Structure formats: structure tokens, C-alpha cells
Amino acid sequence: MRVFLRRSADASGDPGQGPAATQDPGSPDQAGGAGVVAANGAAGGAANGVAGGAANGADRASLTAGKGRPTPKRSESERRRRQPFTAPADRKAAYKQTRGKDKDSRARKYAAMRRGEEWALAPKDKGPVRALARDYVDSRRRISEYYMYGLGVLVVLLFLPATRLIVDYLVLAVVIIMLGEGTYLGRQIQKLAAQRLPGEPTRGVRLYAGLRAMQIRRLRMPAPRVKPGDKL
């Protein structure tokens, strides 16, 4: 780059006597100034580099402080989720394996149904009103509970000539007792459901309660949760 210097009025005609020529480029003062500038620039660059590296390190530490480990790749995550699967040797082994899994699944569902878990119940047993009806029926001993035993006795009496005439009257009496007890039981359950579960549908709960009352207690499904004499 060219530098043009303006001469003053009293300056001589020697170009070497101008202001720019009064200082030697290789003089100690100019060299010292250049060295100071270079040292300051180097010191500033080093300081900026150290500060930038520290800031980047702090940012990386703040990003990884939550997990403490780098995020795994998608291929590694998928490989970890995969489980080894051993295919059966033949069709018979595959059928046996499938049958064993189905048996275990049915056993778990049956156990859950016996406990009265909602997900395992049949559609006719689901709902808070049906659960209340089951508890109300199971809380007392009823005549309808012995219906199956009475039916067996009536079948035996049919084959005895001496008691064949009274079997018809016994059957009629059993039917009347069961109808009366079922009607009373259904009304009580509807009244109790209206008090404890207002707004819940009670359609079919009378028949549901009557049929459960006719079953033997140990064969009821779901199993009774209350004992005879317990208060609801």
C-alpha cells in the first residue's frame, strides 16, 4: 500500500528528510510498539480461546448433567428392545407351545374373574350396580340357595310310587317361594342402588340377583366377597 506524505513549506527538497523518513522502520521504538501490539493480540486471542472453551465445556456439562451419559443411537435402542426368539423345531412343538401359552392366559383370566376384577368379568357382570347386587345377595343365607339340592330331592321322589302324588305340590311350592324371594330381593337391590349409586342404570338387575341367589354359594362366579351376616 502506497503512502503519500505532504511536505511542509519549510521542508527541504530531499525526500529523505520528510516526517515519514525521520523514523527508521527498524528503529527500536517502532519495533517495540509492534511487539507490544502483537503480544496484546496474542494474549487476547488466548484469553478468548480459553473463555470460549470453558463456556462450551459448561454448555456440554449442562446438557449431559441430566443423564450423565450420551444418548444411544436408534439402532442400539432397537437392538436392546429385541428379545431372542427360538422357533419350535416342528409343528407339534409349536402347537404345544401355543397351547401352553393359551392355558396360562386362561388361568390368569379365570383367577382374575374369581377375584372380581373388572377387566376379566363377562359383560353381564360388569358395572357397580351388578357388584352391589352380588354383595347384597352374598351377605345372607337364602332359601333359593338350596334350590339345586331341592331339585335333586324332587327327582328322586318322582321314582317313588308313594310320593309321586305330592311331588307336583312340592314343585309348585318351590316355584312360589323362589318367585316371591326373587321379587323381594330385586326391589331391595333397586332401592339400595338408588341410594348409593344414583344415576347408574339398574336394568336387568332383578333377574341378575335372582339367578345368583339360586346358585350354590361355592359355585358362584365371581366368588363372594362378603360372608353371610356381613353388613354392606
Side-chain angles (χ1 to χ4, degrees), residues 135 138-141 217 224-232:
D135 294 340
D138 299 335
S139 63
R140 295 182 182 180
R141 295 285 186 180
R217 185 178 182 86
R225 298 185 299 182
V226 297
K227 296 180 180 180
D230 293 346
K231 294 182 180 180
L232 298 180

Side-chain angles (χ1 to χ4, degrees), residues 40-125:
N40 292 335
N48 293 332
V50 173
N56 293 333
D59 293 340
R60 288 194 297 270
S62 62
L63 291 176
T64 59
K67 298 186 301 183
R69 64 182 185 278
T71 302
K73 296 182 179 179
R74 183 176 181 180
S75 58
E76 296 179 359
S77 301
E78 292 179 354
R79 185 168 56 253
R80 292 175 182 177
R81 286 197 298 266
R82 293 173 184 171
Q83 297 179 357
F85 176 76
T86 304
D90 52 2
R91 182 179 297 180
K92 186 176 181 180
Y95 174 76
K96 186 176 181 180
Q97 183 178 1
T98 305
R99 187 177 180 182
K101 291 181 179 179
D102 294 342
K103 185 177 180 180
D104 295 339
S105 178
R106 288 194 300 268
R108 289 194 299 268
K109 187 174 182 180
Y110 180 79
M113 187 184 300
R114 290 282 298 175
R115 294 190 298 268
E117 297 183 8
E118 190 73 14
W119 67 270
L121 295 177
K124 66 181 182 65
D125 297 324

Side-chain angles (χ1 to χ4, degrees), residues 4-8 10-12 14-24:
F4 298 95
L5 300 176
R6 182 182 297 175
R7 293 183 177 181
S8 60
D10 56 352
S12 61
D14 188 4
Q17 300 298 324
T22 58
Q23 293 182 0
D24 188 5

Side-chain angles (χ1 to χ4, degrees), residues 194-217:
Q195 294 176 357
R196 298 188 179 183
L197 301 171
E200 291 289 337
T202 58
R203 182 179 180 181
V205 69
R206 290 187 178 186
L207 181 61
Y208 180 79
L211 293 177
R212 184 174 179 86
M214 292 170 55
Q215 297 174 358
I216 300 175
R217 185 178 182 86

